Amino acid sequence: MTSSSSPSQDTKRLAHDYPEGLRADALMEEDVAWSHEIDGERDGDQFDRSERAALRRVAGLSTELEDVTEVEYRQLRLERVVLVGVWTTGTAQDADNSLAELAALAETAGALVLDGVIQRRDKPDAATYIGSGKALELRDIVIETGADTVICDGELSPGQLIQLEDVVKVKVIDRTALILDIFAQHAKSREGKAQVALAQMQYMLPRLRGWGQSLSRQMGGGRGGLATRGPGETKIETDRRRIREKMAKMRREIAEMKTGREIKRQERRRHKVPSVAIAGYTNAGKSSLLNRLTGAGVLVENALFATLDPTVRRAETPSGRLYTLADTVGFVRHLPHHLVEAFRSTMEEVGDSDLILHVVDGSHPVPEEQLAAVREVIRDVGATDVPEIVVINKADAADPLVLQRLLRNEKRSIAVSARTGRGIEELLALIDRDLPRPSVEIEALVPYTHGKLVARAHTEGEVISEEHTEEGTLLKVRVHEELAADLAPYVPAQLT
């Protein structure tokens, strides 16, 4: 076998065969020229000079897609996601709408949705949510799309979460974790952040992972003597204990914050100021309606759960009666029970109100589902006895047939557009009609020296007529019993 030429021999050959001016060109062409004598015995692939100088990615070093053993401890970072749902009941269109809503939630959280799949099953698989065979197909979709997260349209048990991650080899989260992440991004007030943190810890507690006995950090025993010294608390048990302690502290803080809101509520009750609560599905236009009715200037954004912190504003009916208007947190189908419990103090604004404005998105494909989902949460907070007006918002973009169907099925309903102002005057008239009215009608001649009673009649009651005379202000008002007792001494003798 003939041996290949050495580099020094090649250089001498080039110097002999080429003139001085062409020697540099020949050296440059050596990188792309191939000869059996020189290159035949080289091992591995040969690259151009630009390829040799470029950065080359070394496969197998990234742990982002492989190591999922501590997924709960990492920050929930949604980037490129694949959605998966299980269709158990309803029509195929219902399943598609559910996955479309999940896609909107994922985009609100900052994710790029690459694909979405649905499986028809009688019930979710107890092991991997979609079954072992479909989990392998999902793994192929993840590899094909380059996704780094799978989002399931349902709440997964800890076992389902672990086993599905073991198959697809990427991070897996469920609908509850996704909504919790959105709430964590959008909470601004101290109480809102505390409520979200409590809900996150309640969700995380049964899903902690560890290495069992190998993570033991504390030894048991003590004065127990021989044969009683055990391994003590493992690391995961310590984590669970600390989370429970933090949850207890968070509940105490939320209870203290609740006291402040309760005091404000009691003050409004003492002054007999009626309250109206705006409730409804997320992104139905509750904040837009509040801004239209009161000019509150609350953040309005075409996104799910854009505003979480409740806003209370003062408003006035066309007849001059004062009332408060409260914007509450938006609801969604299958709202995690952790959030319902954590936000119970905030949702009490709905239960303590005198009237509920139930806002529904008239441009939604199936607004009846939104109505049912919100009413389910209203039942959970014990507000079923509060009168309700169904406000069909976005009437300017809604299908006229859908509007007619809703107005026909919901007896106490009105179609409005918070963007254009359509139907707002009619809505204000409905609020004026349905707000509780004072129970006692009285006519009194109030001396000018008791102007505070006249002011109370305007703020706490309903003034029917008012006349200024030489003796004082002649009022004909409808007031509550407490104010009626204060006005009784000034009822003219001919009326008693």
Side-chain angles (χ1 to χ4, degrees), residues 87 99 107 124 127 141 155 158 168 219 226 337 344 428 439:
W87 169 25
L99 209 66
E107 290 174 358
I141 295 174
E155 184 168 346
V168 300
M219 293 301 294
L226 297 176
H337 64 276
R344 184 169 293 275
L428 287 171
S439 56

Side-chain angles (χ1 to χ4, degrees), residues 75-78 109-110 176-186 200:
Q75 182 181 2
L76 186 59
R77 187 179 68 255
L78 305 181
T176 301
L178 178 61
I179 295 176
L180 286 172
D181 180 70
I182 296 172
F183 271 59
Q185 292 180 34
H186 293 176
Q200 286 178 322

